[in-house]
Amino acid sequence: MSLPTRLRLWTVVIIAGVIYLIVQFGVELYTDYLWFQQLNLVSVFLTSLGARLGVGLLVAVPVIALFWVNIFIARWQSIRNVLFFSDETLVARKYIVRLIWGVGLGLGWLLAVAASGNWLLFLRFLHRQSFNLADPIFNRDVGFYIFSLPVYHFIQRWLIIALFLALIGAAAIYALAQQNNLAEGRLIILPHVQLHLSILGVFIFLTFALGHWLDLFDLLYSARGVAFGASYTDINVSMPALWLMIAIAVVTAAILLLNVFLRRPALSLAAIFIWIVAGIVGGGFVPGLVQRYVVQPNELVREAPYIENNIRFTNLAYGLDKIQERDFSRVDPLTRQALTDNEVTLKNIRLWDYRPLQQTYQQIQAIRLYYHFLDIDLDRYTINGEVRQVALSARELDINRLQSPTWITHRLQFTHGYGVVVNPVNEVTGDGLPQLWVKDLPPASSVGLEVKRPEIYFGEGTSDYIFVKTREREFNYPSGEQNIYASYEGVGGVVLDSYLKRLAFALRLADVNMLLSQDFTLDSRVMLYRNVTDRAGQIAPFLHYDRDPYIIIGPDGRLYWLLDAYTTSDLFPYSEPMGDLNYIRNSVKVVVDAYDGTPTFYVVDPADPLIKSYMAIFPNLFTSMSNMPDWLRAHLRYPEDLFSIQAKLYQTYHMRDVNVFYNKEDLWQTPLETFAGNTQPVEPYYVVLRLPGETKGEYVLTQPFTPNNKDNLIAWLAARSDGENYGQLVTYRFPKQELVFGPLQIEGRIDQDPEISAQITLWSQSGSQVIRGNLLVLPLDNSLLYIEPLYLQAVNGQIPELKRVIVVSGNQVIMRETLAESLQALFSQNGPDLTSAESPPATGETPPRPTPPTVDLTSQDANQLAITASHHYDAAQKALQNGDWATYGAELEKMKAALDALVRVTGQP
């Protein structure tokens, strides 16, 4: 095959490939436009699209123009000097121009695609904001590093790429022109070649000098020293070395320019060699020596000011500077009065750990195999005028569990999950199961939490696309042996009201059935991005999203997902990195309607400079916090992902003194606990708690701390979630001179208790698995109460049952069937009697165990005794619901007396 034929064939292939890419790009563009249009967010789509195209053209056009200009200059110079091609290749000369244009266009496309991914850099640069905080080295605002410096680096990198492409292209043309000489082993560098390549070299080294100047600011992200950020070596060695590199690069550029006239290539090569050596020696060798032999022997003295910078800027970047530090001055014995004063906490103690609870939900409320509960969420609702913490989970559809899936069942019939399950975290049935407030299909509530729109088209575990409002009726929920069907009544999804739209989505989804099916109508809709995190990310990819969206039952009976979103950066100077970020703010709360997928982005931290920039870029995307309804505000909670990052850093960065920080004298760690037989770190947990020094209970996220390599408690951190206190962080430090038991120490005391150990052994020998739940550490005024639930699960069973509750206070370890009984026993055994209104003795002596109340039962028959016991039981349960522990204890004693009398009368236990 001749060369012209091969060139024609390649031209056809390239044109076909370009057409395919254009069609694919057009289909994706059109369908994305329709999707954003349905959400009334076309402005967001057009802004991002315009930025992508703009950045792509901004890079591709000048780079390829420079490439073409230099190549055609080289070609013109070669023809002008009659050295273009050998006789054997003259036949291909007319194809060279086409090849140059084709290579340029191909490179332009690739460069535009590669560069367009950085569209957000330029939008942020154009809408940059000030942090009102200057770095300690260059005295530049932090906004320079986050908004401007990335753009300068971007421009410098692409200048280097453009110049090297031009250099390579021109050199290739000159080499092609000299192929006869090259074939004979000779290389002649003609004056015009030297002039051309030297000029390109001048610009290359000037661009290198610009890069070295930008590298000066990157020293603030150095990891060389004892703390992140510019260290002693960076400031005193690397910085002068970079200035030297700038000078050498500029001098090298000058020599290359001067050598155009001197024509001494050795001089240029020497300058380039010196630049390379200086980079190796000044960039790595000398700083390494100084760090090892100058800094490390006197590390604290040398690094002290830079450690101080790291401490300050890390605290600012993660919001640790706003943590209120308070003293938990003493740990008092737990009293009956403390229980009474913290009634709201006792009513909301989380006895149901989310892991066994999720398994229980799956067994008793999944109803069908194709339903599943992906996650357990924790929230609080006002029930009968009281704040109650609840666990709830969405019953989502798992399409992979369908027995005989087809395209119709997968895409048209089984389209959505259905309903939620809700239970109070502290209530248990007689069988050891959760007391469900919302359950079954359709959802039924016993406490007024009505779910009027239970269909879940958008959720956590939903990722596939579906079609609604088709001729095929949708499966709604099972009812006995029958299935209930319905049709979608919302506005979610893109309307497929034309064949063009169906064709576009069929190409986008690679689903030919869309074109063949007769079930579509002009009202049919396609739903994409049904996972709420993916949905939010498709709209606002510049935000980072929390791993745990949680579902909310609205007052209108609809279901909503609330997703925390973060503004982040990895360019905050001197701030310690955590993964791929070193700055974070929970600036946005995203609410997604579970039925129609409508998203709302609420700005909850308008002071954040990053969210200010995004609000300026996308003014129609964000909604002010003032527009959030009150019922939704009541369900805001401090996000666990952010809290975990802050808690991890605070273990080190609570040390503000440089000497203490350097020596890690007061380093903390996350305590350990025993869960399901394994030792693991204590996870942060939500609880309704009255913080010490506060007057009312509130919803907080808390995390205890222990000293490094020790198990006793040293402090605990709380994040507040209610009202005006939302977002406040408070840490309470325990007295260092007093031993405060940590979770693992409490676990050890539980293991050593003979009664508990014997009971667990008995259960295990009988073929049951004992699951120890999370150990909760609850501050009650100046006292601490430790609570751990025990679950029992048969070896071949699937339903964990809550069988015991262990409470620990002071030297007492108590295990009973219920929390109320454990608390009653806690005081009955070795403390003030809950049935007495008197305060505990001030002397610290242990009072005698109270005598059970005397009940005159001699004149009652068996029936009357049973009625009496029932009345006392009802009264005890009522007292339990009201948090009246004294009355609860008294009624239980009276019920026991009646039952004992009943045994004596009947003669049967």
Side-chain angles (χ1 to χ4, degrees), residues 715-742:
W716 58 283
L717 179 66
R720 309 172 76 174
S721 297
D722 289 347
E724 296 180 354
N725 295 323
Y726 176 84
Q728 293 183 9
L729 296 173
V730 186
T731 185
Y732 293 86
R733 296 173 182 255
F734 293 109
K736 293 185 178 181
Q737 68 276 9
E738 184 175 346
L739 175 62
V740 181
F741 287 121

PDB file of all heavy atoms in Angstrom, residues 715-742:
ATOM      1  N   ALA A 715     -10.811  13.793  78.945  1.00  0.00           N
ATOM      2  CA  ALA A 715     -11.680  14.886  78.490  1.00  0.00           C
ATOM      3  C   ALA A 715     -12.766  14.303  77.600  1.00  0.00           C
ATOM      4  O   ALA A 715     -12.736  13.127  77.229  1.00  0.00           O
ATOM      5  CB  ALA A 715     -10.880  15.946  77.734  1.00  0.00           C
ATOM      6  N   TRP A 716     -13.733  15.143  77.257  1.00  0.00           N
ATOM      7  CA  TRP A 716     -14.718  14.766  76.243  1.00  0.00           C
ATOM      8  C   TRP A 716     -15.147  16.011  75.488  1.00  0.00           C
ATOM      9  O   TRP A 716     -15.165  17.118  76.018  1.00  0.00           O
ATOM     10  CB  TRP A 716     -15.909  14.021  76.839  1.00  0.00           C
ATOM     11  CG  TRP A 716     -16.679  14.745  77.913  1.00  0.00           C
ATOM     12  CD1 TRP A 716     -16.314  14.904  79.211  1.00  0.00           C
ATOM     13  CD2 TRP A 716     -17.951  15.391  77.766  1.00  0.00           C
ATOM     14  NE1 TRP A 716     -17.269  15.606  79.903  1.00  0.00           N
ATOM     15  CE2 TRP A 716     -18.288  15.906  79.038  1.00  0.00           C
ATOM     16  CE3 TRP A 716     -18.831  15.563  76.713  1.00  0.00           C
ATOM     17  CZ2 TRP A 716     -19.469  16.613  79.271  1.00  0.00           C
ATOM     18  CZ3 TRP A 716     -20.010  16.253  76.931  1.00  0.00           C
ATOM     19  CH2 TRP A 716     -20.321  16.778  78.197  1.00  0.00           C
ATOM     20  N   LEU A 717     -15.419  15.799  74.220  1.00  0.00           N
ATOM     21  CA  LEU A 717     -15.761  16.878  73.298  1.00  0.00           C
ATOM     22  C   LEU A 717     -17.218  16.738  72.887  1.00  0.00           C
ATOM     23  O   LEU A 717     -17.678  15.633  72.587  1.00  0.00           O
ATOM     24  CB  LEU A 717     -14.863  16.820  72.060  1.00  0.00           C
ATOM     25  CG  LEU A 717     -15.087  17.859  70.961  1.00  0.00           C
ATOM     26  CD1 LEU A 717     -14.745  19.260  71.466  1.00  0.00           C
ATOM     27  CD2 LEU A 717     -14.227  17.527  69.733  1.00  0.00           C
ATOM     28  N   ALA A 718     -17.939  17.848  72.871  1.00  0.00           N
ATOM     29  CA  ALA A 718     -19.359  17.837  72.502  1.00  0.00           C
ATOM     30  C   ALA A 718     -19.611  18.874  71.414  1.00  0.00           C
ATOM     31  O   ALA A 718     -19.117  20.004  71.489  1.00  0.00           O
ATOM     32  CB  ALA A 718     -20.234  18.120  73.714  1.00  0.00           C
ATOM     33  N   ALA A 719     -20.374  18.479  70.393  1.00  0.00           N
ATOM     34  CA  ALA A 719     -20.812  19.384  69.333  1.00  0.00           C
ATOM     35  C   ALA A 719     -22.312  19.608  69.486  1.00  0.00           C
ATOM     36  O   ALA A 719     -23.086  18.652  69.491  1.00  0.00           O
ATOM     37  CB  ALA A 719     -20.495  18.804  67.959  1.00  0.00           C
ATOM     38  N   ARG A 720     -22.713  20.849  69.588  1.00  0.00           N
ATOM     39  CA  ARG A 720     -24.108  21.182  69.856  1.00  0.00           C
ATOM     40  C   ARG A 720     -24.884  21.321  68.539  1.00  0.00           C
ATOM     41  O   ARG A 720     -24.342  21.793  67.540  1.00  0.00           O
ATOM     42  CB  ARG A 720     -24.188  22.463  70.685  1.00  0.00           C
ATOM     43  CG  ARG A 720     -23.292  22.396  71.921  1.00  0.00           C
ATOM     44  CD  ARG A 720     -23.179  23.709  72.663  1.00  0.00           C
ATOM     45  NE  ARG A 720     -24.361  23.995  73.445  1.00  0.00           N
ATOM     46  CZ  ARG A 720     -24.463  25.036  74.286  1.00  0.00           C
ATOM     47  NH1 ARG A 720     -23.440  25.884  74.413  1.00  0.00           N
ATOM     48  NH2 ARG A 720     -25.569  25.232  74.978  1.00  0.00           N
ATOM     49  N   SER A 721     -26.155  20.930  68.572  1.00  0.00           N
ATOM     50  CA  SER A 721     -26.946  20.875  67.334  1.00  0.00           C
ATOM     51  C   SER A 721     -28.239  21.664  67.379  1.00  0.00           C
ATOM     52  O   SER A 721     -28.919  21.752  66.353  1.00  0.00           O
ATOM     53  CB  SER A 721     -27.278  19.414  66.985  1.00  0.00           C
ATOM     54  OG  SER A 721     -26.120  18.668  66.737  1.00  0.00           O
ATOM     55  N   ASP A 722     -28.605  22.223  68.506  1.00  0.00           N
ATOM     56  CA  ASP A 722     -29.923  22.836  68.652  1.00  0.00           C
ATOM     57  C   ASP A 722     -29.867  24.358  68.597  1.00  0.00           C
ATOM     58  O   ASP A 722     -28.986  24.986  69.207  1.00  0.00           O
ATOM     59  CB  ASP A 722     -30.564  22.422  69.975  1.00  0.00           C
ATOM     60  CG  ASP A 722     -31.002  20.968  69.981  1.00  0.00           C
ATOM     61  OD1 ASP A 722     -31.035  20.379  68.884  1.00  0.00           O
ATOM     62  OD2 ASP A 722     -31.297  20.425  71.052  1.00  0.00           O
ATOM     63  N   GLY A 723     -30.842  24.919  67.878  1.00  0.00           N
ATOM     64  CA  GLY A 723     -31.100  26.355  67.911  1.00  0.00           C
ATOM     65  C   GLY A 723     -29.890  27.216  67.625  1.00  0.00           C
ATOM     66  O   GLY A 723     -29.078  26.949  66.733  1.00  0.00           O
ATOM     67  N   GLU A 724     -29.769  28.288  68.409  1.00  0.00           N
ATOM     68  CA  GLU A 724     -28.677  29.236  68.213  1.00  0.00           C
ATOM     69  C   GLU A 724     -27.320  28.650  68.578  1.00  0.00           C
ATOM     70  O   GLU A 724     -26.284  29.211  68.216  1.00  0.00           O
ATOM     71  CB  GLU A 724     -28.939  30.493  69.049  1.00  0.00           C
ATOM     72  CG  GLU A 724     -30.186  31.272  68.620  1.00  0.00           C
ATOM     73  CD  GLU A 724     -30.409  32.504  69.477  1.00  0.00           C
ATOM     74  OE1 GLU A 724     -29.642  32.668  70.470  1.00  0.00           O
ATOM     75  OE2 GLU A 724     -31.307  33.290  69.162  1.00  0.00           O
ATOM     76  N   ASN A 725     -27.326  27.552  69.319  1.00  0.00           N
ATOM     77  CA  ASN A 725     -26.060  26.925  69.711  1.00  0.00           C
ATOM     78  C   ASN A 725     -25.522  25.975  68.651  1.00  0.00           C
ATOM     79  O   ASN A 725     -24.468  25.364  68.869  1.00  0.00           O
ATOM     80  CB  ASN A 725     -26.242  26.150  71.018  1.00  0.00           C
ATOM     81  CG  ASN A 725     -26.577  27.059  72.185  1.00  0.00           C
ATOM     82  OD1 ASN A 725     -26.068  28.169  72.278  1.00  0.00           O
ATOM     83  ND2 ASN A 725     -27.454  26.598  73.064  1.00  0.00           N
ATOM     84  N   TYR A 726     -26.236  25.861  67.524  1.00  0.00           N
ATOM     85  CA  TYR A 726     -25.792  24.915  66.503  1.00  0.00           C
ATOM     86  C   TYR A 726     -24.350  25.226  66.078  1.00  0.00           C
ATOM     87  O   TYR A 726     -23.993  26.366  65.797  1.00  0.00           O
ATOM     88  CB  TYR A 726     -26.700  24.951  65.275  1.00  0.00           C
ATOM     89  CG  TYR A 726     -26.178  24.042  64.183  1.00  0.00           C
ATOM     90  CD1 TYR A 726     -26.478  22.695  64.192  1.00  0.00           C
ATOM     91  CD2 TYR A 726     -25.324  24.524  63.192  1.00  0.00           C
ATOM     92  CE1 TYR A 726     -25.969  21.837  63.219  1.00  0.00           C
ATOM     93  CE2 TYR A 726     -24.807  23.685  62.226  1.00  0.00           C
ATOM     94  CZ  TYR A 726     -25.128  22.339  62.239  1.00  0.00           C
ATOM     95  OH  TYR A 726     -24.595  21.515  61.296  1.00  0.00           O
ATOM     96  N   GLY A 727     -23.553  24.178  66.023  1.00  0.00           N
ATOM     97  CA  GLY A 727     -22.183  24.307  65.544  1.00  0.00           C
ATOM     98  C   GLY A 727     -21.160  24.634  66.607  1.00  0.00           C
ATOM     99  O   GLY A 727     -19.956  24.605  66.331  1.00  0.00           O
ATOM    100  N   GLN A 728     -21.602  24.927  67.813  1.00  0.00           N
ATOM    101  CA  GLN A 728     -20.644  25.226  68.879  1.00  0.00           C
ATOM    102  C   GLN A 728     -19.990  23.942  69.375  1.00  0.00           C
ATOM    103  O   GLN A 728     -20.648  22.914  69.544  1.00  0.00           O
ATOM    104  CB  GLN A 728     -21.340  25.931  70.040  1.00  0.00           C
ATOM    105  CG  GLN A 728     -21.839  27.324  69.717  1.00  0.00           C
ATOM    106  CD  GLN A 728     -22.455  28.006  70.928  1.00  0.00           C
ATOM    107  OE1 GLN A 728     -22.366  27.514  72.046  1.00  0.00           O
ATOM    108  NE2 GLN A 728     -23.089  29.145  70.692  1.00  0.00           N
ATOM    109  N   LEU A 729     -18.691  24.022  69.611  1.00  0.00           N
ATOM    110  CA  LEU A 729     -17.930  22.897  70.138  1.00  0.00           C
ATOM    111  C   LEU A 729     -17.464  23.235  71.552  1.00  0.00           C
ATOM    112  O   LEU A 729     -16.944  24.324  71.800  1.00  0.00           O
ATOM    113  CB  LEU A 729     -16.724  22.599  69.257  1.00  0.00           C
ATOM    114  CG  LEU A 729     -17.027  22.140  67.821  1.00  0.00           C
ATOM    115  CD1 LEU A 729     -15.738  22.044  67.016  1.00  0.00           C
ATOM    116  CD2 LEU A 729     -17.731  20.798  67.822  1.00  0.00           C
ATOM    117  N   VAL A 730     -17.663  22.280  72.454  1.00  0.00           N
ATOM    118  CA  VAL A 730     -17.287  22.471  73.851  1.00  0.00           C
ATOM    119  C   VAL A 730     -16.507  21.243  74.302  1.00  0.00           C
ATOM    120  O   VAL A 730     -16.916  20.105  74.027  1.00  0.00           O
ATOM    121  CB  VAL A 730     -18.518  22.660  74.764  1.00  0.00           C
ATOM    122  CG1 VAL A 730     -18.083  22.993  76.187  1.00  0.00           C
ATOM    123  CG2 VAL A 730     -19.441  23.737  74.217  1.00  0.00           C
ATOM    124  N   THR A 731     -15.387  21.477  74.970  1.00  0.00           N
ATOM    125  CA  THR A 731     -14.642  20.366  75.542  1.00  0.00           C
ATOM    126  C   THR A 731     -14.587  20.524  77.050  1.00  0.00           C
ATOM    127  O   THR A 731     -14.443  21.635  77.576  1.00  0.00           O
ATOM    128  CB  THR A 731     -13.211  20.303  74.964  1.00  0.00           C
ATOM    129  OG1 THR A 731     -12.559  19.143  75.471  1.00  0.00           O
ATOM    130  CG2 THR A 731     -12.395  21.514  75.320  1.00  0.00           C
ATOM    131  N   TYR A 732     -14.748  19.405  77.736  1.00  0.00           N
ATOM    132  CA  TYR A 732     -14.703  19.367  79.192  1.00  0.00           C
ATOM    133  C   TYR A 732     -13.501  18.515  79.598  1.00  0.00           C
ATOM    134  O   TYR A 732     -13.385  17.361  79.191  1.00  0.00           O
ATOM    135  CB  TYR A 732     -15.989  18.773  79.762  1.00  0.00           C
ATOM    136  CG  TYR A 732     -17.212  19.641  79.541  1.00  0.00           C
ATOM    137  CD1 TYR A 732     -17.948  19.558  78.366  1.00  0.00           C
ATOM    138  CD2 TYR A 732     -17.606  20.563  80.505  1.00  0.00           C
ATOM    139  CE1 TYR A 732     -19.056  20.358  78.157  1.00  0.00           C
ATOM    140  CE2 TYR A 732     -18.729  21.373  80.302  1.00  0.00           C
ATOM    141  CZ  TYR A 732     -19.436  21.267  79.129  1.00  0.00           C
ATOM    142  OH  TYR A 732     -20.535  22.066  78.922  1.00  0.00           O
ATOM    143  N   ARG A 733     -12.633  19.096  80.401  1.00  0.00           N
ATOM    144  CA  ARG A 733     -11.430  18.394  80.850  1.00  0.00           C
ATOM    145  C   ARG A 733     -11.629  17.878  82.266  1.00  0.00           C
ATOM    146  O   ARG A 733     -12.051  18.624  83.163  1.00  0.00           O
ATOM    147  CB  ARG A 733     -10.217  19.328  80.819  1.00  0.00           C
ATOM    148  CG  ARG A 733      -9.830  19.813  79.425  1.00  0.00           C
ATOM    149  CD  ARG A 733      -8.731  20.860  79.541  1.00  0.00           C
ATOM    150  NE  ARG A 733      -8.341  21.393  78.240  1.00  0.00           N
ATOM    151  CZ  ARG A 733      -7.205  21.074  77.608  1.00  0.00           C
ATOM    152  NH1 ARG A 733      -6.367  20.217  78.171  1.00  0.00           N
ATOM    153  NH2 ARG A 733      -6.906  21.605  76.445  1.00  0.00           N
ATOM    154  N   PHE A 734     -11.324  16.606  82.449  1.00  0.00           N
ATOM    155  CA  PHE A 734     -11.409  16.028  83.781  1.00  0.00           C
ATOM    156  C   PHE A 734     -10.163  16.411  84.586  1.00  0.00           C
ATOM    157  O   PHE A 734      -9.097  16.662  84.008  1.00  0.00           O
ATOM    158  CB  PHE A 734     -11.522  14.505  83.693  1.00  0.00           C
ATOM    159  CG  PHE A 734     -12.808  14.033  83.093  1.00  0.00           C
ATOM    160  CD1 PHE A 734     -12.843  13.469  81.821  1.00  0.00           C
ATOM    161  CD2 PHE A 734     -14.000  14.145  83.795  1.00  0.00           C
ATOM    162  CE1 PHE A 734     -14.028  13.044  81.265  1.00  0.00           C
ATOM    163  CE2 PHE A 734     -15.194  13.719  83.245  1.00  0.00           C
ATOM    164  CZ  PHE A 734     -15.215  13.157  81.979  1.00  0.00           C
ATOM    165  N   PRO A 735     -10.271  16.444  85.906  1.00  0.00           N
ATOM    166  CA  PRO A 735      -9.093  16.764  86.722  1.00  0.00           C
ATOM    167  C   PRO A 735      -8.014  15.702  86.561  1.00  0.00           C
ATOM    168  O   PRO A 735      -8.292  14.505  86.659  1.00  0.00           O
ATOM    169  CB  PRO A 735      -9.661  16.797  88.155  1.00  0.00           C
ATOM    170  CG  PRO A 735     -10.937  16.031  88.089  1.00  0.00           C
ATOM    171  CD  PRO A 735     -11.482  16.223  86.711  1.00  0.00           C
ATOM    172  N   LYS A 736      -6.780  16.141  86.293  1.00  0.00           N
ATOM    173  CA  LYS A 736      -5.696  15.193  86.054  1.00  0.00           C
ATOM    174  C   LYS A 736      -5.279  14.456  87.313  1.00  0.00           C
ATOM    175  O   LYS A 736      -4.708  13.368  87.232  1.00  0.00           O
ATOM    176  CB  LYS A 736      -4.491  15.925  85.454  1.00  0.00           C
ATOM    177  CG  LYS A 736      -4.735  16.456  84.046  1.00  0.00           C
ATOM    178  CD  LYS A 736      -3.483  17.069  83.460  1.00  0.00           C
ATOM    179  CE  LYS A 736      -3.740  17.559  82.036  1.00  0.00           C
ATOM    180  NZ  LYS A 736      -2.525  18.150  81.413  1.00  0.00           N
ATOM    181  N   GLN A 737      -5.565  15.042  88.484  1.00  0.00           N
ATOM    182  CA  GLN A 737      -5.159  14.397  89.730  1.00  0.00           C
ATOM    183  C   GLN A 737      -6.150  13.339  90.185  1.00  0.00           C
ATOM    184  O   GLN A 737      -5.928  12.682  91.204  1.00  0.00           O
ATOM    185  CB  GLN A 737      -5.006  15.456  90.840  1.00  0.00           C
ATOM    186  CG  GLN A 737      -6.316  16.103  91.289  1.00  0.00           C
ATOM    187  CD  GLN A 737      -6.739  17.263  90.395  1.00  0.00           C
ATOM    188  OE1 GLN A 737      -6.146  17.485  89.344  1.00  0.00           O
ATOM    189  NE2 GLN A 737      -7.737  18.004  90.837  1.00  0.00           N
ATOM    190  N   GLU A 738      -7.216  13.144  89.432  1.00  0.00           N
ATOM    191  CA  GLU A 738      -8.257  12.195  89.825  1.00  0.00           C
ATOM    192  C   GLU A 738      -8.412  11.133  88.737  1.00  0.00           C
ATOM    193  O   GLU A 738      -8.418  11.457  87.539  1.00  0.00           O
ATOM    194  CB  GLU A 738      -9.575  12.937  90.046  1.00  0.00           C
ATOM    195  CG  GLU A 738     -10.704  12.059  90.563  1.00  0.00           C
ATOM    196  CD  GLU A 738     -11.953  12.877  90.868  1.00  0.00           C
ATOM    197  OE1 GLU A 738     -11.856  14.121  90.926  1.00  0.00           O
ATOM    198  OE2 GLU A 738     -13.019  12.260  91.051  1.00  0.00           O
ATOM    199  N   LEU A 739      -8.532   9.865  89.152  1.00  0.00           N
ATOM    200  CA  LEU A 739      -8.722   8.786  88.196  1.00  0.00           C
ATOM    201  C   LEU A 739     -10.183   8.714  87.778  1.00  0.00           C
ATOM    202  O   LEU A 739     -11.077   8.531  88.611  1.00  0.00           O
ATOM    203  CB  LEU A 739      -8.301   7.441  88.805  1.00  0.00           C
ATOM    204  CG  LEU A 739      -8.576   6.211  87.931  1.00  0.00           C
ATOM    205  CD1 LEU A 739      -7.786   6.287  86.629  1.00  0.00           C
ATOM    206  CD2 LEU A 739      -8.259   4.923  88.687  1.00  0.00           C
ATOM    207  N   VAL A 740     -10.416   8.891  86.493  1.00  0.00           N
ATOM    208  CA  VAL A 740     -11.763   8.770  85.928  1.00  0.00           C
ATOM    209  C   VAL A 740     -11.729   7.598  84.957  1.00  0.00           C
ATOM    210  O   VAL A 740     -10.987   7.623  83.970  1.00  0.00           O
ATOM    211  CB  VAL A 740     -12.196  10.065  85.215  1.00  0.00           C
ATOM    212  CG1 VAL A 740     -13.605   9.920  84.662  1.00  0.00           C
ATOM    213  CG2 VAL A 740     -12.106  11.259  86.156  1.00  0.00           C
ATOM    214  N   PHE A 741     -12.515   6.584  85.238  1.00  0.00           N
ATOM    215  CA  PHE A 741     -12.468   5.362  84.439  1.00  0.00           C
ATOM    216  C   PHE A 741     -12.849   5.633  82.982  1.00  0.00           C
ATOM    217  O   PHE A 741     -13.827   6.325  82.694  1.00  0.00           O
ATOM    218  CB  PHE A 741     -13.410   4.305  85.018  1.00  0.00           C
ATOM    219  CG  PHE A 741     -12.904   3.691  86.296  1.00  0.00           C
ATOM    220  CD1 PHE A 741     -13.638   3.767  87.471  1.00  0.00           C
ATOM    221  CD2 PHE A 741     -11.689   3.027  86.322  1.00  0.00           C
ATOM    222  CE1 PHE A 741     -13.178   3.215  88.640  1.00  0.00           C
ATOM    223  CE2 PHE A 741     -11.211   2.465  87.490  1.00  0.00           C
ATOM    224  CZ  PHE A 741     -11.957   2.558  88.657  1.00  0.00           C
ATOM    225  N   GLY A 742     -12.067   5.036  82.091  1.00  0.00           N
ATOM    226  CA  GLY A 742     -12.376   5.107  80.676  1.00  0.00           C
ATOM    227  C   GLY A 742     -13.180   3.892  80.230  1.00  0.00           C
ATOM    228  O   GLY A 742     -13.360   2.935  80.986  1.00  0.00           O
TER     229      GLY A 742
END
